[in-house]
Amino acid sequence: MIEILEKLHEEVTGRLERCGSPQDVEQIRVDYLGRKGGKLTALLRGLRELPAEERPSAGAELNRRRGEVETLLETRLAELRRQQEGAREGGARLDVTLPGNRLERGRIHPLTRVTDEIIDVFTGMGFEIARGPDVEDDYHNFEALNIPRDHPARDMQDTFFVSENHVLRTHTSPVQIRVMETRRPPLRIIAPGAVYRHDDDATHSPVFHQVEGFMVDRNITFGDLKGVLTHFLEEIFEGDVRVRFRPSFFPFTEPSAEVDIGCNLCRDVEDSCRVCRGSGWLEILGSGMIDPNVFDFVGYDTEVYSGFAFGMGVERIAMLKYGMDDIRLFFQNDIRFLRQFPP
Ligand code: DAH
């Protein structure tokens, strides 16, 4: 009897060691302690057949062994449960308090931003957007804008030639010609885009951006030019702006005017001002009444129609708006520079 019990105890211990789940432990319980067919249960039942004098000691021994087996089962069960939980935590060791990986959000480039603002102001006044090719022919870039071959006015712009007859457009003014060639007045057009000049320093870039604009109809006067451009500058520089129209020369306008705004940095008192160099004024755009010669090129009757045109540099406006002194910052795409502009 003692030996049988000893053997059963060993069996249970061995099986418990090998088992891997609480379900296995339950199976062992059934095999040894189950009411039907449990091996220890069967021995307990067998007590009746023993001689009366042996029964008490055998019964005590059996109960002690049963108690031991129960404890073994409990202990192993608890151990397996702990292991299972540990595995669950370990498998998904997730610290929900850790900060996440931030996805860097893109920004609108300051030049795109300023271009969009310019477009907004003009579309608000009924202007529509037109575009032209970056590689332009000599006729549209120069000739039809009243800049004949061999005319000294060609020196105003240092030109990249693509071929004998084609250039990278030096300004957006050729879009005026392209639109007027295909359409009749009334016209209110703005033409944003890249332009190219052989120029490279802190305030000049070989590629930069302009917004061209023009308005043609019956009875358009210099007063319309002043009204539209003054309103535009008040919008783009947010109200607090002084505007000055200064006589100038462009081959495609007559008369021509450059438009200045009061220096917003020194308010015209400091000789040393790095923005206006003491003049108190900042040149912001070129403009004028469209030259009758230009209308002749596109076949508009100069007795019926008149119009004004203007062109401005987007980089220059952005630099003044944001207080920048180096144009190259726009093109280096240094993330530290770009981050300064709110999304
Ligand atoms: N095209 C000129 C330039 O690039 C800018 C300009 C001046 C455009 C006067 C115009 C204008 O339409 O009327 O310097």
Side-chain angles (χ1 to χ4, degrees), residues 6-301:
E6 192 60 41
K7 225 187 112 222
L8 285 182
H9 188 270
E10 262 168 44
E11 263 179 47
V12 172
T13 325
R15 281 185 62 181
L16 278 176
E17 255 168 43
R18 274 174 272 122
C19 78
S21 71
Q23 289 81 351
D24 295 344
V25 176
E26 186 51 31
Q27 187 55 52
I28 298 170
R29 181 194 304 283
V30 171
D31 289 348
Y32 293 89
L33 303 177
R35 276 173 203 246
K36 288 183 215 158
K39 290 183 182 174
L40 271 168
T41 319
L43 285 174
L44 277 162
R45 288 220 178 93
L47 278 176
R48 269 174 273 157
E49 272 118 69
L50 284 180
E53 60 281 12
E54 285 177 29
R55 259 182 241 162
S57 62
E61 183 61 14
L62 260 171
N63 275 326
R64 192 177 66 78
R65 287 293 187 179
R66 187 172 66 174
E68 267 180 18
V69 169
E70 268 169 358
T71 312
L72 283 171
L73 288 167
E74 286 312 320
T75 314
R76 184 69 177 135
L77 192 63
E79 195 174 284
L80 285 170
R81 291 225 166 101
R82 244 183 292 118
Q83 272 178 18
Q84 253 184 3
E85 256 155 50
R88 213 176 291 139
E89 278 169 17
R93 202 175 291 273
L94 227 188
D95 183 350
V96 292
T97 66
L98 283 174
N101 290 333
R102 272 231 207 150
L103 278 185
E104 196 61 56
R105 267 240 244 150
R107 312 271 164 121
I108 307 284
H109 192 282
L111 288 180
T112 309
R113 213 184 164 83
V114 169
T115 307
D116 287 348
E117 281 176 29
I118 296 171
I119 288 172
D120 271 1
V121 178
F122 282 106
T123 52
M125 290 189 278
F127 282 68
E128 51 179 307
I129 299 172
R131 296 188 191 269
D134 287 28
V135 175
E136 192 50 281
D137 54 42
D138 187 275
Y139 176 80
H140 289 91
N141 196 81
F142 296 121
E143 203 77 30
L145 286 163
N146 202 29
I147 315 174
R149 237 174 249 279
D150 307 320
H151 192 281
R154 290 216 175 182
D155 279 350
M156 289 170 80
Q157 302 166 355
D158 234 332
T159 309
F160 287 116
F161 283 85
V162 173
S163 69
E164 178 76 22
N165 228 352
H166 289 84
V167 300
L168 292 178
R169 65 176 177 192
T170 56
H171 51 182
T172 42
S173 302
V175 183
Q176 289 185 38
I177 306 299
R178 291 193 174 273
V179 171
M180 289 193 283
E181 277 172 345
T182 54
R183 296 174 56 178
R184 310 296 303 173
L187 291 173
R188 269 179 289 185
I189 305 285
I190 45 165
V195 299
Y196 307 82
R197 288 183 204 176
H198 194 285
D199 235 341
D200 201 358
D201 60 37
T203 54
H204 297 86
S205 162
V207 185
F208 61 106
H209 300 82
Q210 289 187 335
V211 175
E212 188 79 13
F214 64 101
M215 181 164 172
V216 185
D217 201 351
R218 293 164 195 268
N219 305 317
I220 301 291
T221 68
F222 200 88
D224 296 309
L225 179 159
K226 285 186 78 169
V228 166
L229 293 181
T230 304
H231 172 73
F232 162 70
L233 292 169
E234 282 168 357
E235 288 289 309
I236 212 80
F237 291 103
E238 284 149 36
D240 186 20
V241 63
R242 291 161 296 146
V243 180
R244 171 173 93 168
F245 291 78
R246 180 168 41 78
S248 184
F249 170 80
F250 297 101
F252 30 88
T253 46
E254 181 57 37
S256 303
E258 277 176 298
V259 185
D260 300 338
I261 60 166
C263 178
N264 49 1
L265 196 73
C266 71
R267 303 212 154 266
D268 79 348
V269 285
E270 284 171 40
D271 282 352
S272 59
C273 176
R274 73 179 160 79
V275 176
C276 69
R277 297 207 184 85
S279 74
W281 294 95
L282 301 161
E283 182 192 322
I284 205 88
L285 52 82
S287 66
M289 300 306 291
I290 297 174
D291 194 300
N293 287 348
V294 173
F295 284 147
D296 284 343
F297 275 107
V298 296
Y300 282 7
D301 187 343

